[in-house]
Amino acid sequence: MTAHNWIDLAQDAETGIETLRAHFTGHAYDPHWHDSYLVGVTEQGVQQFNCRRARHQSTPGKVFLLEPGELHDGEAPSAGGFTYRMLYLDPQWLTRELGALFEEAPADSQLSFASTLASDPRLAQATCNAFHSLHSGELRIVRQSALDQLLEQLTGHLHWRQRYRDDPRLPLVAHRAREYLHAHGQLDISLNELSQACGVDRFRLSRAFKAAFGLPPHAYLVQLRLARARRLLARGEPTAEVAVALGFADQSHMGRWFVRAYGLTPALYRKRCTKLPDA
C-alpha cells in the first residue's frame, strides 16, 4: 500500500457482507478471484480490469459485476487513479434472498451476471445506498431495506446458468485437476503428482488447465489458498495459524501473496472484519 493508495473495509455481522471503498493509482492488484459475488461502482477516475477474456474500463457511475471464481485484475490507466466502492455478497446468502424474486432454480445451476460492466443508474444508486447503510452501521431495518432495493435492481442483470463442471467447453482433465487442488489444496502438491492424478503429462495438463481457467495450476492453487484465507481471517482465526493450515511457508509468505491480490495485509483484513487485534 503506497501513500497514494488507501482501503477502507468492514464486514456486516448479520449478513457477512463485506463493504470496501478504495483508491488506487497505477497498478492496483494482480489477477485473482473471490468466493463472493462482487457488485461495485466506480466513483472517480478510470478503473481498468481484465475479466472474461476482455478488457473493461469502468468510469464514474458504472457498475461492475463479477461472479465467484471469475479471474480479474485492476489498474489505473490515467493520472489521478480511481476510487470505487464494492459489496462482496456471499453466494448462499444471495441465492436464499433472491428465492422470493426468482422462480425455483433449475437443477444444477447457479446465478450468473449477464455482463461484467453495466450502465444502470438505478443499480448504481442502489449499490451506493446498500454500501452506505452497511458500512456506516445504520439501523437494522434500514440495512435490510437497502439490501432489498439492491436485490430488486440486480434481478435484471442475473440469470441461471449451468455450473462450470458441466460446461462442455472445459476439458475433463482440467476439471479433474481443479477437483484435486480443491481436495488437497493445503498440501505441498507437485506438478508431477497433479498430472499423475489426472492421467496426462504435466505439459498437456498445464496447457489444458490454463485454457480452461485462465491460470496455470500453481497460480490457481495460490488463489484457492488466498480465498480460503479470507474466510478464515474473517472469522477471526489468527493470521499465523491460517498461513500454516493452508500450506504457506509462513505468515510473511501468505502476506506477500495476499497484498498482491487484495491490496492489504492479512492482519489488517482480519482486524477490519472482526475488530480483533492481530494474533
Side-chain angles (χ1 to χ4, degrees), residues 196-241:
Q196 288 173 7
C198 297
V200 296
D201 65 75
R202 65 179 188 270
F203 302 104
R204 290 181 185 175
L205 172 63
S206 294
R207 287 196 298 269
F209 197 96
K210 188 171 183 179
F213 304 115
L215 289 174
H218 72 276
Y220 185 93
L221 177 60
V222 171
Q223 294 304 316
L224 176 61
R225 290 179 176 180
L226 291 177
R228 291 177 175 176
R230 283 180 70 104
R231 293 197 300 271
L232 294 173
L233 293 167
R235 294 206 301 257
E237 297 291 333
T239 308
E241 292 181 14

Side-chain angles (χ1 to χ4, degrees), residues 28-274:
Y29 29 80
D30 288 354
H32 65 285
W33 47 265
H34 298 270
D35 286 341
S36 308
Y37 286 89
L38 273 57
V39 181
V41 176
T42 302
E43 295 182 20
Q44 167 268 324
V46 179
Q47 182 175 3
Q48 182 168 284
F49 62 98
N50 294 288
C51 184
R52 297 189 181 182
R53 303 184 186 277
R55 176 167 291 184
H56 307 274
Q57 288 194 335
S58 181
T59 50
K62 286 191 176 181
V63 183
F64 50 95
L65 305 160
L66 284 80
E67 299 172 25
E70 284 197 321
L71 193 66
H72 62 284
D73 55 13
E75 65 175 341
S78 55
F82 64 91
T83 309
Y84 68 99
R85 59 184 66 193
M86 183 157 62
L87 304 171
Y88 296 82
L89 308 177
D90 177 75
Q92 292 182 343
W93 176 89
L94 183 62
T95 301
R96 183 180 67 249
E97 293 296 315
L98 285 175
L101 299 174
F102 272 124
E103 296 179 1
E104 186 175 350
D108 201 32
S109 64
Q110 67 186 49
L111 287 167
S112 177
F113 289 125
S115 61
T116 304
L117 206 56
S119 296
D120 184 338
R122 290 185 178 182
L123 176 58
Q125 188 60 57
T127 302
C128 290
N129 291 344
F131 174 92
H132 175 75
S133 67
L134 293 172
H135 203 73
S136 59
E138 286 282 3
L139 295 173
R140 188 180 185 189
I141 193 171
V142 175
R143 301 198 309 270
Q144 291 176 339
S145 297
L147 286 173
D148 283 350
Q149 292 172 12
L150 173 64
L151 292 171
E152 186 175 357
Q153 294 302 322
L154 272 179
T155 55
H157 297 266
L158 284 165
H159 64 274
W160 295 104
R161 67 160 169 79
Q162 291 298 105
R163 293 188 185 277
Y164 279 128
R165 67 171 180 270
D166 298 319
D167 189 335
R169 296 172 299 176
L170 303 185
L172 181 60
V173 65
H175 284 294
R176 287 176 177 168
R178 184 173 69 167
E179 290 172 0
Y180 190 92
L181 291 176
H182 278 259
H184 304 87
Q186 77 282 8
L187 303 178
D188 188 13
I189 302 169
S190 73
L191 195 55
N192 284 336
E193 178 185 352
L194 183 61
S195 62
Q196 288 173 7
C198 297
V200 296
D201 65 75
R202 65 179 188 270
F203 302 104
R204 290 181 185 175
L205 172 63
S206 294
R207 287 196 298 269
F209 197 96
K210 188 171 183 179
F213 304 115
L215 289 174
H218 72 276
Y220 185 93
L221 177 60
V222 171
Q223 294 304 316
L224 176 61
R225 290 179 176 180
L226 291 177
R228 291 177 175 176
R230 283 180 70 104
R231 293 197 300 271
L232 294 173
L233 293 167
R235 294 206 301 257
E237 297 291 333
T239 308
E241 292 181 14
V242 170
V244 172
L246 294 179
F248 288 100
D250 52 33
Q251 183 174 338
S252 16
H253 181 220
M254 180 178 76
R256 289 193 296 273
W257 284 107
F258 204 93
V259 170
R260 287 173 61 179
Y262 307 130
L264 73 170
T265 66
L268 182 56
Y269 175 79
R270 178 180 181 272
K271 182 178 180 181
R272 294 287 177 83
C273 288
T274 64

